[in-house]
Amino acid sequence: MRKGILTIAAVGLLTTGGLTACSDDSGNGSADSKKTPKIGVILPDSKSSPRWETADRRFLEEAFKAAGVQYDIQNAQNDKSAFQTIADQMITSGVTALMIVNLDSGTGKAVLDKAKSQGVATIDYDRLTLGGSAQYYVSFDNETVGKLQGEGLAKCLTEKGAKNPVVAYLNGSPTDNNATLFKAGYDSVLKPKFDSKEYTKGPDDAVPGWDGPTAATIFEQQLTATKGKIDGVLAANDTLGNAAISILKKNKLNGKVPVTGQDASVEGLQNILAGDQCVTVYKAVREEAKAAADLAIALAKGEKKDTGQTVKDGDRDVPSVLLTPKAIYKDNVKDVIADGYATKEQVCTGAYAKFCAEAGIS
């Protein structure tokens, strides 16, 4: 059987018994082992990225069903009030572990603190809640995600023979700590090029809520402000990348201006195959969901696990699982499909069938 395309040591630790599991009698927001284990999950939205409903929900459900535990997965649809209401309902319904993808750290902290006060164990999933109280954090190495984006854009600009290219940024939501980490990653690659005058720094804007239509408006304004002189776009995910591509198409610049992305969405993969997007970053959500589910199941049963990793949140060391992302270009789109994240039927539709054949997707 083919192994996944990523090397994920942290998940190996969680699943091979290399971690110690023990009953948690600390009374610090841990589940009562006498209660029936039940896990609540709050996803953030279905608009900023398709992954939350097409991948995370699916893989979390698979893991919980395989373990035979009760679970409740709901989506806050980018509504902070709904997020808090869902959390209250889950706590009242008797969840023994709560996993959240916060909409912002303020709302996330309020929910985590309330869960802790009610003896409910907690996990930050994908996004760290700054100043929060989650017992675990499961995500990808998000600075590495950004670094891969920066390296990808530089690679594509070099391949196009760009001289002193103007690079525009479409950053993620300012309320998302991950967006800050992504930017730190791609800045580590691109800032030295700006400083040396090899590249020219263009417009640099954040996109509230990771919203595609807003990103399109912002990018159109960027293109106007530079009189059409943008040679590369560092877009923080595929939704923002596609927004930029839609404006480039209007100006007959698609395929000429490299655009980055993240999430290996079907749309992002299609844009890469068509030559309109330079790179995306693939994060094996199945592995992320499995790692988080393993921890949630243990917590729901009143156990703790040692992840062997931590992330700093102020003065607090948060036990963490950080997985390894992978850059995807046209020549390895097939790896994402082989890994089961997207299917050939989803990606290779209509005009994209020809591009799939060219990329060796069979």
Side-chain angles (χ1 to χ4, degrees):
M1 175 182 280
R2 183 186 181 281
K3 293 183 180 179
I5 69 176
L6 301 183
T7 301
I8 306 171
V11 174
L13 287 174
L14 279 171
T15 57
T16 60
L19 297 183
T20 57
C22 58
S23 177
D24 181 12
D25 56 4
S26 66
N28 185 27
S30 299
D32 183 342
S33 59
K34 296 179 181 179
K35 293 182 180 178
T36 301
K38 181 179 179 181
I39 299 165
V41 179
I42 309 177
L43 300 175
D45 63 82
S46 55
K47 191 175 179 182
S48 65
S49 174
R51 63 164 282 192
W52 302 116
E53 288 296 330
T54 63
D56 295 87
R57 179 185 289 272
R58 172 165 55 115
F59 295 135
L60 287 168
E61 284 182 343
E62 283 181 6
F64 295 145
K65 286 178 180 177
V69 297
Q70 294 182 41
Y71 65 92
D72 180 12
I73 302 176
Q74 296 190 46
N75 194 314
Q77 298 299 354
N78 201 36
D79 184 324
K80 295 177 188 178
S81 295
F83 189 95
Q84 291 178 307
T85 298
I86 291 168
D88 289 343
Q89 291 171 343
M90 287 182 171
I91 292 169
T92 300
S93 75
V95 298
T96 54
L98 179 65
M99 185 190 307
I100 70 166
V101 187
N102 71 58
L103 295 178
D104 62 46
S105 286
T107 308
K109 175 176 167 51
V111 164
L112 292 170
D113 289 350
K114 182 168 185 179
K116 179 180 177 180
S117 73
Q118 299 295 313
V120 177
T122 52
I123 296 173
D124 269 331
Y125 181 66
D126 200 74
R127 297 174 183 167
L128 182 65
T129 300
L130 300 179
S133 55
Q135 288 163 267
Y136 292 101
Y137 168 52
V138 180
S139 189
F140 286 81
D141 185 331
N142 291 308
E143 284 201 31
T144 296
V145 170
K147 186 178 179 183
L148 292 175
Q149 291 174 318
E151 290 172 346
L153 184 61
K155 174 179 183 289
C156 294
L157 286 168
T158 297
E159 289 174 350
K160 289 189 176 296
K163 303 297 182 184
N164 191 24
V166 176
V167 174
Y169 281 7
L170 283 175
N171 307 301
S173 176
T175 61
D176 183 351
N177 183 57
N178 281 1
T180 302
L181 297 174
F182 301 146
K183 193 173 192 299
Y186 48 76
D187 270 343
S188 73
V189 176
L190 298 176
K191 189 176 183 300
K193 296 181 181 294
F194 299 141
D195 292 344
S196 69
K197 310 301 183 185
E198 181 183 353
Y199 291 2
T200 297
K201 181 72 178 289
D204 181 351
D205 294 296
V207 180
W210 295 90
D211 183 64
T214 301
T217 299
I218 290 171
F219 183 68
E220 191 156 35
Q221 292 168 346
Q222 290 182 342
L223 203 60
T224 300
T226 58
K227 297 182 170 57
K229 178 57 177 170
I230 290 177
D231 304 296
V233 183
L234 196 300
N237 76 355
D238 289 345
T239 299
L240 307 189
N242 189 66
I245 289 166
S246 70
I247 302 304
L248 291 171
K249 284 180 177 178
K250 283 175 57 177
N251 291 274
K252 296 182 169 47
L253 292 172
N254 59 302
K256 299 175 183 177
V257 178
V259 179
T260 67
Q262 175 190 172
D263 290 335
S265 67
V266 168
E267 188 173 59
L269 296 175
Q270 289 175 332
N271 283 335
I272 288 174
L273 291 167
D276 292 333
Q277 184 169 322
C278 152
V279 63
T280 189
V281 178
Y282 173 49
K283 301 182 296 189
V285 174
R286 185 192 299 274
E287 303 296 344
E288 183 184 21
K290 179 65 166 61
D294 285 349
L295 287 172
I297 291 163
L299 287 175
K301 294 178 178 178
E303 300 171 352
K304 290 196 299 186
K305 289 189 174 183
D306 179 5
T307 63
Q309 293 176 291
T310 61
V311 165
K312 258 314 189 200
D313 176 24
D315 295 331
R316 194 168 76 101
D317 291 318
V318 186
S320 303
V321 178
L322 299 179
L323 300 101
T324 305
K326 181 181 179 69
I328 299 296
Y329 302 89
K330 187 171 184 177
D331 63 359
N332 64 343
V333 166
K334 59 182 177 290
D335 289 349
V336 180
I337 293 173
D339 216 41
Y341 186 73
T343 67
K344 178 183 175 183
E345 290 71 26
Q346 290 172 317
V347 176
C348 303
T349 59
Y352 297 103
K354 175 183 71 173
F355 300 131
C356 283
E358 292 171 354
I361 300 170
S362 58

